[in-house]
Amino acid sequence: MTAATNCVIRTLPLLPRGVIRTQRSVYKHLNQLRNVSVRRRGPSDPPLPISNAIPTTSKPASPKGVWAPKTRLAVGIVFVGSLIYSMLSSPLQPVPERTESPSIADLDSRRKRESGVSSTSPMRLRMEAFIKEQQELIVRELEKVDGGKFRKDTWTRPAGGDGISCVLQDGKVFEKAGVNTSIVYGTLPRTAIAKMRVNHKALDPDIDSLEFFAAGLSLVLHPQNPMAPTVHLNYRYFETMDKNGDGKAWWFGGGTDLTPSYLFEEDAIHFHRTVKDACDKHDRDYYPRFKAWCDKYFYIPHRGESRGVGGIFFDDLDEEANDQDELFSFVQHCLEAFLPSYLPIIEKRKNLPFGPREKEWQQVRRGRYVEFNLVHDRGTSFGLATPGARVESILMSLPLTARWVYMHEPEKGSKEDRMLKVLKKPAEWI
């Protein structure tokens, strides 16, 4: 280090840690400005070129327009010193941090942490808490029936939301059983808003996008024994919101239906009566209305037959149908009726004898189940079309095994034929 360099550096005040890196950078640039090496040559260094090694009496003229090395060094020292003095004499201005407004999902998470969920909470938080509570109860009771344990997977969505998938495969009673909850925050594009306005006129048609929330519990049980029926259940809540999370349009949907391979009329009657009792607590018109809706919805047009013996189905129940709290209570009673509607049936049928013929027919009927879910079910279509959706959870409803037999026809007058006739023409069970 030259004396001139040391002079410049010593005149600087003590530097804070954040500026030390600048001081080190100064040393680096000063060394680059110097045109000579400060390292002593050692004996192992190669010899200098002859033109530099032999001293000359006359000083070579510097090329025109190029400063001499000492001049460049002096100017560089003055320039860098002035730069550092300017940096240190001016107050340091903090760089402003970029902050983004918290998302609706973030705000809801904060509400749950700070205040919990009560009857005064937004409906979306109440529905979320209720379905997660019911999921735990249903899984616990089904594990008692099967003797096995559900695999539990939790997942989150980057855009907001989470879910819990509980699945049991190759159990003693259930070949495949799934009980899932999903919470989704997202943004509806203009095209989706236009479609939803068909049933919900409260949606603003002049906006390009809209925040939404969806929560639901879905359940499908496929037993091992062909004499035990498959059952499906889904209850859900959908809400649109402004940027602050204030609810705009909202509606409930859901239902449950029974899909036997072999018909036991007392099972169908018990299932429908239990569901009807839940409906009658709120409106005696609900059961006949939603039963007919179920028969129409769970129909496979290309087969000309229903998926099963029905139950109830409804969608888009909003303020035109009833008060929000009343509809929430209705959905709660329907979901709470599931275990009483199905557990007595599975307990009676899970150990009945069967053979290869019954197992083959069960597999054929499960093929029909797959066809409906992948071709006609709106819930499956919506789930697969949602960005960031968890495909494994959506396709949880499909059976572990199924069968497609070319030109399969049951024998006339057989138990299989009797089942098919009921599927061709839905019955009134109560």
Side-chain angles (χ1 to χ4, degrees), residues 89-204:
S89 60
S90 302
L92 295 176
Q93 299 294 329
V95 179
E97 295 182 1
R98 294 183 61 185
T99 59
E100 296 183 358
S101 300
S103 67
I104 298 175
D106 293 334
L107 294 175
D108 282 350
S109 296
R110 185 186 304 166
R111 284 192 187 101
K112 289 182 287 187
R113 287 195 308 269
E114 295 177 353
S115 307
V117 179
S118 68
S119 59
T120 61
S121 299
M123 181 55 69
R124 58 181 179 270
L125 302 187
R126 294 163 64 188
M127 183 65 173
E128 175 185 350
F130 173 67
I131 61 176
K132 288 182 176 180
E133 172 190 284
Q134 287 296 303
Q135 181 186 36
E136 291 182 3
L137 174 62
I138 292 171
V139 166
R140 187 164 61 246
E141 294 302 315
L142 293 178
E143 287 179 341
K144 293 178 183 177
V145 173
D146 187 272
K149 291 290 184 182
F150 279 77
R151 169 179 171 171
K152 182 178 179 180
D153 293 329
T154 58
W155 49 271
T156 58
R157 295 182 73 251
D162 56 55
I164 305 173
S165 298
C166 299
V167 178
L168 187 153
Q169 293 185 157
D170 288 320
K172 295 177 181 178
V173 175
F174 299 108
E175 182 180 279
K176 186 178 181 184
V179 187
N180 292 353
T181 55
S182 59
I183 311 299
V184 177
Y185 291 82
T187 304
L188 293 172
R190 191 183 185 96
T191 53
I193 297 171
K195 290 180 180 179
M196 288 183 175
R197 284 201 79 248
V198 175
N199 296 313
H200 305 282
K201 301 302 182 183
L203 292 175
D204 187 349

Side-chain angles (χ1 to χ4, degrees), residues 408-422:
H408 185 276
E409 291 287 342
E411 181 183 340
K412 296 297 182 181
S414 65
K415 295 181 294 183
E416 294 82 7
D417 183 54
R418 178 169 174 255
M419 181 76 254
L420 191 57
K421 286 180 179 179
V422 170

Side-chain angles (χ1 to χ4, degrees), residues 222-239:
H222 295 290
Q224 297 275 13
N225 195 314
M227 301 300 169
T230 288
V231 68
H232 158 261
L233 172 149
N234 173 272
Y235 290 103
R236 57 194 176 273
Y237 174 73
F238 193 94
E239 178 180 294

Side-chain angles (χ1 to χ4, degrees), residues 3 183 187 261 271 292 301 311 377 428:
I183 311 299
T187 304
S261 297
F271 184 81
D377 186 62
E428 297 297 329

Side-chain angles (χ1 to χ4, degrees), residues 13-24:
L14 292 177
L15 302 178
R17 179 175 297 181
V19 185
I20 290 177
R21 287 192 295 271
T22 304
Q23 181 179 357
R24 290 173 181 163

